[in-house]
Amino acid sequence: MSDQSFCMVLTTTNRVENAQLMIQALLSKYLAACIQTLPIQSHYRWNGEVCCDDEILLIIKTREACYVELEQEIVRLHSYQVPQIVQVPITEGFDPYLAWISQHTQANGLHTLPNG
């Protein structure tokens, strides 16, 4: 799968409804092949204060070619003023899994679903 670049995008939210909204949009627009969620506790500084919140971490599996559109969609739907949106490159992975990601993602809304 050396012809394509893959990545994970991480974002958090403190609302289940917001997480579900982003998940549905990203999957339906083929900007993500898989999104995992985990409950986490975030500790951070905001407006001069140290804060701690229960949040949901979204781990989004996609292709780098989808990142710009994916980021725009998260910003559009996110409930936070400044959401965490970070891209983590996938430098290696199991070829059949990477092929599956490739088959289920498409930038610019252009997608034809192959078998699988």
Side-chain angles (χ1 to χ4, degrees), residues 57-75:
L57 171 65
L58 282 71
I59 305 168
I60 304 160
K61 282 36 158 302
T62 190
R63 292 182 302 117
E64 287 183 3
C66 296
Y67 177 77
V68 171
E69 235 180 304
L70 188 145
E71 178 187 274
Q72 291 170 349
E73 192 67 6
I74 291 173
V75 168

Side-chain angles (χ1 to χ4, degrees), residues 4 7 9 16 22 34 37 40 83 93-94 98 103 105-106 110:
Q4 294 192 54
C7 64
V9 177
V16 172
M22 289 186 285
C34 173
T37 59
I40 62 168
F94 184 53
L98 298 178
Q103 291 171 354
T105 56
Q106 185 64 46
L110 306 171

Side-chain angles (χ1 to χ4, degrees), residues 47-116:
N47 292 329
E49 294 183 30
V50 174
C51 303
C52 176
D53 287 311
D54 291 330
E55 290 188 303
I56 302 158
L57 171 65
L58 282 71
I59 305 168
I60 304 160
K61 282 36 158 302
T62 190
R63 292 182 302 117
E64 287 183 3
C66 296
Y67 177 77
V68 171
E69 235 180 304
L70 188 145
E71 178 187 274
Q72 291 170 349
E73 192 67 6
I74 291 173
V75 168
R76 184 178 76 79
L77 297 171
H78 212 291
S79 60
Y80 290 178
Q81 218 178 344
V82 181
Q84 168 190 305
I85 307 171
V86 295
Q87 182 190 82
V88 181
I90 297 173
T91 57
E92 289 191 40
F94 184 53
D95 279 347
Y97 182 73
L98 298 178
W100 176 82
I101 291 175
S102 184
Q103 291 171 354
H104 291 86
T105 56
Q106 185 64 46
N108 302 317
L110 306 171
H111 187 264
T112 55
L113 185 64
N115 294 334

Side-chain angles (χ1 to χ4, degrees), residues 22-42:
M22 289 186 285
I23 290 166
Q24 287 303 116
L26 297 175
L27 290 173
S28 68
K29 293 182 178 191
Y30 295 95
L31 296 174
C34 173
I35 302 171
Q36 297 168 312
T37 59
L38 295 168
I40 62 168
Q41 199 170 60
S42 291

